[in-house]
Amino acid sequence: MKKGHRTFVFLAVTLSVVLYMIAFNADINDRGESLRNYDSAESGVVELSDQIYQDSVRESSQSFDKSGGVKDAHLISAGHGPKVRIWDYFGPAYNCASKERVGKLGDGGKWLCGVRTWLPKRSNCVVYSFGSKGEVSFELGVASKLPNCEIHIFDPTLTPEQKEMVKTIPGAVFHDFGVGTKDGNESIARRLTWIQKTKLVYPMKTLSTIMNILGHTWIDVLKMDIEGGEWKVFDNVFSSFSVVPVGQIQIELHFLGDVRPVLTFFRGMQFKKFRPFSVEPNYYGRTAENARNMIEYSFVQVGNAGRLETG
């Protein structure tokens, strides 16, 4: 090859590399600018989202009182008629602009806030998952979408085969105990009849004990499906923490024949600054009655300035 030709080839390759680097850096800058613009846009609607939420809570409270309050505690309507459910008074009034489903469609998947915005930025992201019965599409989704998060799965009711399957989830740690109202063994025989029962009693720990054992001061995502045990567990959580150290909560709620624990729960969530951004009836129970008695909620903690609490 002649010297002049070699020089031309060298210059052409060099120019191609330079142009590639310019284009690559421009793409990175564009993506960074897009994220900054997103954050700016999100900041611009904080005040509006906060006002919409406050108005919705006030209107729902007025509607509940106008309907007579708790007229019959044993009815899911609280005695307000056949076309009313207690859940209707606690709709998804908060707007999470980055809401995204994690896990499979139908029963098992959950709606999260910030999967593509602030959660990936968390260098010490922590996810707690209470109750699975071996259905782990949510946890697998978190492992895939948020590899920066450490995942802790708690379920003392699993079979040996289910335990081995759970342990294969990337980045997940399995704990053979559940969340309860005290530290020690607890029977769950009085909860819903379809609960998987592998023993007579199960080891339980309070949320504060669990966090102390694992050395965590903040939980970014707390998912819970403990088949009716949630009411008493959250009574304990509300009384144990002046500020609940959790960014968002994905939970399946179960009506057990009394609206009073339901009202206590939602009032506690409001007092602790958790706002619902997703509500989804669970249509996958064994009977049609299950569909109105079980419902999926997603909450996010919002501070006084209307901004998300991220630890």
Side-chain angles (χ1 to χ4, degrees), residues 131-150:
S132 69
K133 200 176 179 180
E135 205 303 297
V136 292
S137 69
F138 168 75
E139 293 80 3
L140 285 168
V142 171
S144 174
K145 293 175 180 287
L146 296 166
N148 58 307
C149 296
E150 60 176 282

Side-chain angles (χ1 to χ4, degrees), residues 183-202:
D183 300 333
N185 290 329
E186 180 181 345
S187 170
I188 60 174
R190 294 187 179 182
R191 295 187 192 170
L192 300 174
T193 56
W194 59 80
I195 295 174
Q196 176 172 281
K197 299 182 179 70
T198 53
K199 293 180 284 189
L200 295 177
V201 295
Y202 300 88

